[in-house]
Amino acid sequence: MTYPLYIVTGAPGAGKSSAVKAFVGLAKEYIAFDIDWLAVPASNLCGKDIFTDASTWPAYNQLWFEVLRCVYRNGLTPVLFAPISPEDVGEEDLPRWCRGVEWALLDCDDATRRRRLTERPDWDDTMIAYAMEDAGLLRRAVSRRINTALKDPAAVAEEILRWLEQSRAKVF
């Protein structure tokens, strides 16, 4: 049996962490996952920092894809919140059970993103510049966008739910 892969993406500062918390409260038949939830144990398992060592990212994505398949096996629909792009997950990277990827981009204007990231105590100018560049790349790669600048996390979660319902109605 094949299933779609639902990914809610966004560059740092887009509001993914806030959105996933709000989404969990209204998810109904959906199970939400933040890709960071397994980063520390996965780092411990592989002996490398999942957050910063890009060589770990393809295998880490594959681990998450198998977790998502387990959820499907239980009759529920998983949704992965992750700062990855269609370029990171090409056709050759998809598991055989996956019949395609549906993408939604959480995004905000650059001034809002910069303010949000500046408020993070452990973020420096280099990290912020990388996040801004990543935001531009994602904007070019993902057409379905949800603006998080003027909406609270609950409203963003509702919009994600609407996107999922519309996506499920489509035929791959």
Side-chain angles (χ1 to χ4, degrees):
M1 178 149 232
T2 61
Y3 305 98
L5 180 57
Y6 296 103
I7 299 177
V8 177
T9 190
K16 291 181 307 299
S17 295
S18 298
V20 74
K21 287 177 191 172
F23 185 80
V24 166
L26 60 88
K28 300 178 185 171
E29 73 272 10
Y30 299 99
I31 303 292
F33 294 96
D34 184 323
I35 199 167
D36 291 343
W37 290 349
L38 293 179
V40 172
S43 295
N44 293 339
L45 182 64
C46 73
K48 297 179 181 180
D49 186 350
I50 294 289
F51 291 107
T52 59
D53 188 333
S55 72
T56 65
W57 298 347
Y60 189 53
N61 289 344
Q62 292 301 316
L63 172 68
W64 267 109
F65 296 161
E66 288 309 307
V67 169
L68 301 178
R69 184 170 81 161
C70 291
V71 172
Y72 270 123
R73 287 178 173 168
N74 282 277
L76 299 170
T77 303
V79 182
L80 182 62
F81 288 69
I84 57 180
S85 72
E87 185 177 294
D88 298 326
V89 184
E91 287 294 321
E92 67 280 357
D93 301 316
L94 294 176
R96 289 183 16 208
W97 62 263
C98 181
R99 68 174 174 228
V101 183
E102 288 292 312
W103 295 90
L105 172 63
L106 299 187
D107 198 16
C108 58
D109 59 90
D110 288 344
T112 299
R113 182 181 317 279
R114 186 173 303 282
R115 179 186 49 78
R116 289 174 178 174
L117 295 175
T118 301
E119 292 171 356
R120 294 180 181 181
D122 54 342
W123 277 67
D124 61 28
D125 290 341
T126 301
M127 295 167 74
I128 292 171
Y130 177 78
M132 302 302 280
E133 180 181 327
D134 195 29
L137 294 172
L138 284 169
R139 287 178 189 132
R140 289 188 289 280
V142 179
S143 60
R144 176 62 171 106
R145 294 188 190 143
I146 299 171
N147 188 336
T148 64
L150 302 175
K151 295 179 181 138
D152 66 22
V156 171
E158 288 284 350
E159 195 163 338
I160 292 168
L161 187 59
R162 282 192 296 277
W163 162 72
L164 286 164
E165 294 300 322
Q166 292 167 356
S167 294
R168 286 180 69 180
K170 289 180 4 179
V171 176
F172 275 89

